[in-house]
C-alpha cells in the first residue's frame, strides 16, 4: 500500500502486509520494554506506548545515542512524568558503543536531546539496577517480552552476550534503524542508530531473535508536516503542546537537509507497528551489518531482492499508510 504523505513516494515492488492472526500469545496487553536514547521522536514513541492499553510498558532502559547517557536517562524520566507515569522504572544502560567512540546528534536534537519544549528536571528516581541487567531480568521473568529498540543497540546486544539464554525468551525485537532504498542519514551509507554501534547491531541480527525493522524507507514517509504539527497543538493539552514544540524544533533540520514538507517521525513507527500492523508492509529477508569498511560502516546490507542464499533473519518493513498512522496516533495521544 502507498504511504499517503506529501513527501517521498514509494516506487519499489509490491509488498505484502503483515497482520498477526496466528499469534500464540494471549490476547492481553503485550508486555514491552523500551530501549531508547530520547530524542524528540523517541519521546513521542514513549508517549504513544503509554497511551495505549494494548501495550504494557514494563520498563524503559536508556542508552547513549542522540545525546550522552546522563541526558537520555533524564529525558526518559521527563517523558514519563509528562505522561503522568512516574511509576515506570527507568534504568541507565551503556554509556558508549561496544568498540568505537560515541557519536551523538545534538545538531538534530539540540543540546539536551529534547530541545523545543521546556520540561522541568525529573523528580522520579533512576533505578539502581543497570539497563543491561534490567533487560536480562525482564526477559527471563516476563513471558513474551517484546523489546522496542529506538536507539543504538548497545544495551540489547550486551544483554544478549551476557545472557544468551534470553534470546529464546524474547518474543520479538522491533527496532528503528537502517535503510535500503533510502540508504543513510548520518553517512552516505548508514542510518544513525546502526552507525553509532554497528558491532552491537551485528550481534543482534545474528542472535536468532525474531526481528522486525522499521528503516528510513518507512520513517521518511511519516513526516511531521505543518498540518500535522497543528493537529498536535489542537489537542489543547500539555502533551499536545510538547509534541508540537518538539516536532517543530527538529523539523527545521530535516526540511533543510531533505527539502521535504516535514521531518521524519522515526521512532513512533516502532510503537505504531505493534498497535496497527495492518498499516505496514514489508519482506522477510536477510540483513547483515557492515562493521569494517571505512566508507560503509554501519550500513544495513538488506537482501531485498533475494540475490544471495543467506537465510532470512529479519522482517524489513518497506511501506506504511502514513495518513492513517498519523490520524490514529493523534487520536491515541489525546488519551494521556
Amino acid at each position: 500500500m502507498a504511504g499517503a504523505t506529501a513527501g517521498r513516494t514509494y516506487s519499489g515492488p509490491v509488498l505484502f502486509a503483515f497482520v498477526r492472526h496466528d499469534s500464540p500469545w494471549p490476547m492481553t496487553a503485550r508486555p514491552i520494554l523500551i530501549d531508547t536514547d530520547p530524542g524528540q521522536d523517541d519521546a513521542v514513541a514513549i508517549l504513544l506506548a503509554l497511551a495505549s492499553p494494548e501495550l504494557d510498558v514494563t520498563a524503559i532502559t536508556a542508552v547513549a545515542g542522540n545525546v550522552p547517557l546522563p541526558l537520555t536517562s533524564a529525558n526518559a524520566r521527563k517523558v514519563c512524568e509528562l505522561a503522568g507515569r512516574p511509576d515506570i522504572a527507568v534504568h541507565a544502560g551503556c554509556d558508549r558503543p561496544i568498540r568505537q567512540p560515541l557519536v551523538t546528534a545534538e545538531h538534530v536534537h539540540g543540546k539536551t536531546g529534547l530541545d523545543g519544549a521546556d520540561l522541568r528536571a525529573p523528580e522520579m528516581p533512576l533505578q539502581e539496577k543497570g539497563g543491561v541487567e534490567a533487560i536480562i531480568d525482564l526477559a527471563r521473568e516476563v513471558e513474551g517480552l517484546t523489546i522496542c529498540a529506538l536507539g543504538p543497540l548497545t544495551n540489547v546486544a550486551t544483554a544478549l552476550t551476557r545472557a544468551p539464554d534470553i534470546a529464546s525468551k524474547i518474543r520479538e525485537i522491533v527496532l528503528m534503524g537502517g535503510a535500503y532504498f533510502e540508504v543513510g542519514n548520518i553517512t552516505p551509507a548508514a542510518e544513525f542508530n546502526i552507525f553509532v554501534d554497528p558491532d552491537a547491531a551485528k550481534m543482534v541480527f545474528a542472535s536468532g531473535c525474531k526481528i522486525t525493522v522499521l528503516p528510513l524507507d518507512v520513517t521518511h514517509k511519516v513526516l511531521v508536516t505543518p498540518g500535522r504539527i497543528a493537529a498536535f497543538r489542537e489537542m489543547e493539552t500539555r502533551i499536545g503542546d510538547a509534541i508540537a514544540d518538539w516536532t517543530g524544533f527538529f523539523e527545521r533540520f530535516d526540511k533543510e537537509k531533505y527539502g521535504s514538507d516535514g521531518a521524519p517521525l522515526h521512532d513512533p513507527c516502532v510503537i505504531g507497528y505493534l498497535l496497527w500492523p495492518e498499516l505496514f508492509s514489508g519482506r522477510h529477508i536477510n540483513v547483515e551489518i557492515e562493521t569494517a569498511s571505512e566508507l560503509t560502516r554501519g550500513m544495513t546490507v538488506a537482501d531485498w531482492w533475494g540475490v544471495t542464499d543467506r537465510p532470512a533473519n529479519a522482517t524489513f518493513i518497506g511501506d506504511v499508510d502514513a495518513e492513517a498512522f498519523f490520524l490514529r496516533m493523534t487520536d491515541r495521544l489525546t488519551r494521556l
Side-chain angles (χ1 to χ4, degrees):
M1 68 187 73
T5 75
R8 307 175 190 193
T9 58
Y10 182 70
S11 59
V14 175
L15 307 173
F16 59 89
F18 291 89
V19 185
R20 300 178 185 85
H21 294 302
D22 57 351
S23 172
W25 305 100
M27 296 299 290
T28 57
R30 180 171 181 163
I32 66 172
L33 180 148
I34 299 176
D35 188 71
T36 181
D37 61 337
Q40 292 93 345
D41 56 323
D42 305 68
V44 179
I46 294 169
L47 292 171
L48 180 59
L50 293 176
S52 300
E54 303 96 324
L55 303 176
D56 175 17
V57 181
T58 61
I60 295 174
T61 52
V63 66
N66 285 323
V67 287
L69 183 65
L71 290 173
T72 61
S73 57
N75 289 347
R77 289 177 287 152
K78 289 179 182 180
V79 175
C80 289
E81 290 185 347
L82 177 65
R85 293 295 306 275
D87 58 298
I88 300 293
V90 176
H91 306 260
C94 298
D95 64 355
R96 69 196 68 185
I98 291 173
R99 292 194 178 96
Q100 63 185 44
L102 176 65
V103 175
T104 55
E106 289 89 349
H107 62 289
V108 178
H109 299 279
K111 64 181 181 180
T112 70
L114 286 182
D115 282 18
D118 186 17
L119 299 181
R120 66 187 183 188
E123 296 179 2
M124 60 184 285
L126 190 64
Q127 300 296 308
E128 292 185 6
K129 181 184 293 185
V132 172
E133 290 74 18
I135 292 172
I136 293 170
D137 289 348
L138 286 167
R140 288 171 173 168
E141 296 167 6
V142 178
E143 183 180 3
L145 182 70
T146 293
I147 295 177
C148 299
L150 311 182
L153 290 166
T154 316
N155 286 345
V156 180
T158 304
L160 287 165
T161 300
R162 291 184 187 174
D165 64 288
I166 68 172
S168 63
K169 302 178 188 299
I170 295 169
R171 174 176 176 178
E172 187 174 7
I173 298 172
V174 184
L175 66 95
M176 189 278 131
Y180 178 54
F181 295 102
E182 291 283 347
V183 195
N185 65 353
I186 187 67
T187 74
E191 178 274 331
F192 178 80
N193 284 345
I194 305 298
F195 177 79
V196 170
D197 199 341
D199 299 289
K202 188 177 183 72
M203 294 174 188
V204 170
F205 277 88
S207 68
C209 291
K210 180 181 179 182
I211 297 172
T212 299
V213 184
L214 282 299
L216 297 181
D217 306 271
V218 168
T219 66
H220 276 187
K221 296 168 185 175
V222 181
L223 301 178
V224 282
T225 60
R228 289 168 177 165
I229 294 175
F232 294 134
R233 188 79 65 191
E234 289 165 5
M235 290 166 56
E236 296 184 342
T237 64
R238 185 165 175 249
I239 285 172
D241 287 343
I243 294 173
D245 290 340
W246 285 330
T247 54
F249 176 85
F250 76 78
E251 62 117 14
R252 302 168 199 167
F253 171 84
D254 288 279
K255 286 175 70 174
E256 180 179 348
K257 178 177 180 179
Y258 297 112
S260 59
D261 292 333
L265 199 59
H266 303 286
D267 293 324
C269 290
V270 168
I271 306 302
Y273 173 78
L274 293 178
L275 295 172
W276 311 299
E278 68 275 9
L279 301 183
F280 297 82
S281 55
R283 294 181 177 183
H284 193 53
I285 63 172
N286 177 267
V287 180
E288 303 293 339
I289 309 299
E290 177 58 59
T291 60
S293 169
E294 182 179 348
L295 291 177
T296 61
R297 188 181 67 210
M299 184 176 184
T300 45
V301 183
D303 188 10
W304 186 260
W305 301 107
V307 297
T308 75
D309 58 0
R310 295 192 294 265
N313 61 349
T315 297
F316 213 72
I317 302 300
D319 208 357
V320 59
D321 183 340
E323 188 64 32
F325 173 81
F326 267 100
L327 288 172
R328 295 186 190 189
M329 180 176 66
T330 304
D331 177 71
R332 185 58 62 87
L333 289 166
T334 62
R335 301 185 183 189
L336 285 176

